[in-house]
Amino acid sequence: MSKYLISIVGPTAIGKTVLSIKLANYFNTEIVSADSRQFFKEMSIGTAAPSKEELAAAKHHFIHHKSIQDNYSVGTFEKETLNCLDKLFKTRDVVIMVGGSGLYVDAVTKGLDYFPEVDNSIRQTLNTHLETKGLPYLQNQLKELDPVAYNTIAIDNPHRVIRALEICIGTGKPYSSFLKKKQVNRHFKTITIGLTAKRETIYNRINQRVDIMMEQGLLDEVKNLLSFKELNALNTVGYKELFNYLEGEWELDFAISEIKKNSRRFAKRQLTWFKRDENTLWFDYLTDVSEIIKQINEAI
């Protein structure tokens, strides 16, 4: 097997984009994004999408190719990405994939998990509970039924929580017990590079990034999206907190502090997810790219 997908993972704000461009330039190849928030063209600042300069430094795929009003699933992403890789591998031996959305990364490298059908009435009941009792109620229910899923899925996303709960309730088994039951064959080999740092460093970098986002105009970006706030794409860190400010529920300083707090929680879940893969080559975020390239070449 002579085709290699180099998958760069790690928590938010750790430096994945910068590394991906350096590796793409070294291997004379292109970049596939597996960041589910950067798919949407209306969301740029709050998702820390690559800048115009970064996009020009290496060709990217799956950045700002969808609208928040489009229905776009991880299953569709898997199919489109595999088609994209088939084309790229015709002329390249190495392709770079970068992104912190663990489910989307795994869909490409390992294939999606398939779950039993469950009664639709379960989801209807859970949706009712979401409206009447709130997301924390459902989160606590999931914590009791499936602590593994509680600690790894996007717990602030009600759609993900409800999906996990309906499997737990409908099958009588933990949602997490259905994960990675079946390995798929890919026509390429994956080398996964993980970037990390001490937790304090990660949290400081996140706090600094949020401040930079605000300076770049995140509030104005969110204002322009206020009328679409109910869309699933916008139920995400950096947007939902500022929606609360714009609707008079929170003070701005508090909303910003909540963005930082929720981003730190997100980073913690990302690390929990990515640490499950024992084959990942982990590097401190300050490691010189030459050392990373050396280990990639040795792995190849």
Side-chain angles (χ1 to χ4, degrees), residues 1-6 27 94 189-193 279-281 283 291-300:
M1 185 180 292
S2 60
K3 304 299 182 180
Y4 290 87
L5 180 68
I6 301 173
F27 287 103
V94 174
K189 183 175 177 60
T190 300
I191 298 173
T192 303
I193 302 298
N279 295 317
T280 298
L281 302 174
F283 296 90
E291 176 60 27
I292 297 175
I293 290 171
K294 177 184 174 184
Q295 293 206 35
I296 291 172
N297 282 328
E298 287 176 358
I300 291 175

Side-chain angles (χ1 to χ4, degrees), residues 141-156:
Q141 189 177 2
L142 181 61
K143 190 174 185 179
E144 291 180 9
L145 294 177
D146 189 352
V148 174
Y150 176 84
N151 284 309
T152 53
I153 71 167
I155 200 69
D156 294 326

Side-chain angles (χ1 to χ4, degrees), residues 158-300:
H159 299 276
R160 296 274 172 84
V161 175
I162 287 173
R163 176 59 176 156
L165 275 174
E166 70 176 351
I167 295 297
C168 292
I169 296 167
T171 66
K173 299 177 181 178
Y175 169 85
S176 57
S177 69
F178 293 97
L179 300 177
K180 298 296 160 274
K181 287 293 186 184
K182 177 183 169 187
Q183 287 293 327
V184 297
N185 292 320
R186 297 293 193 223
H187 299 298
F188 54 84
K189 183 175 177 60
T190 300
I191 298 173
T192 303
I193 302 298
L195 289 183
T196 190
K198 292 181 180 178
R199 182 163 293 181
E200 181 182 359
T201 299
I202 294 172
Y203 289 176
N204 285 338
R205 288 176 65 86
I206 288 171
N207 293 340
Q208 291 168 6
R209 171 177 277 185
V210 173
D211 289 336
I212 291 171
M213 286 176 173
M214 293 303 297
E215 292 170 5
Q216 290 175 335
L218 177 58
L219 184 57
D220 287 333
E221 181 173 274
V222 176
K223 278 181 184 176
N224 292 330
L225 297 172
L226 183 58
S227 60
F228 302 101
K229 68 183 287 286
E230 300 303 326
L231 293 177
N232 185 43
L234 291 169
N235 183 38
T236 188
V237 179
Y239 294 83
K240 59 184 181 179
E241 296 88 353
L242 290 178
F243 286 145
N244 285 340
Y245 161 69
L246 292 170
E247 294 185 327
E249 296 179 24
W250 291 352
E251 295 293 329
L252 182 57
D253 286 347
F254 180 72
I256 294 171
S257 70
E258 287 294 291
I259 295 174
K260 293 177 179 178
K261 182 185 77 175
N262 291 331
S263 296
R264 295 192 298 266
R265 287 177 173 175
F266 177 55
K268 185 178 179 181
R269 289 196 304 274
Q270 286 176 303
L271 282 170
T272 300
W273 181 289
F274 292 128
K275 289 285 186 181
R276 298 177 310 158
D277 188 343
E278 297 176 354
N279 295 317
T280 298
L281 302 174
W282 287 98
F283 296 90
D284 184 85
Y285 80 111
L286 292 176
T287 302
D288 190 270
V289 67
S290 61
E291 176 60 27
I292 297 175
I293 290 171
K294 177 184 174 184
Q295 293 206 35
I296 291 172
N297 282 328
E298 287 176 358
I300 291 175

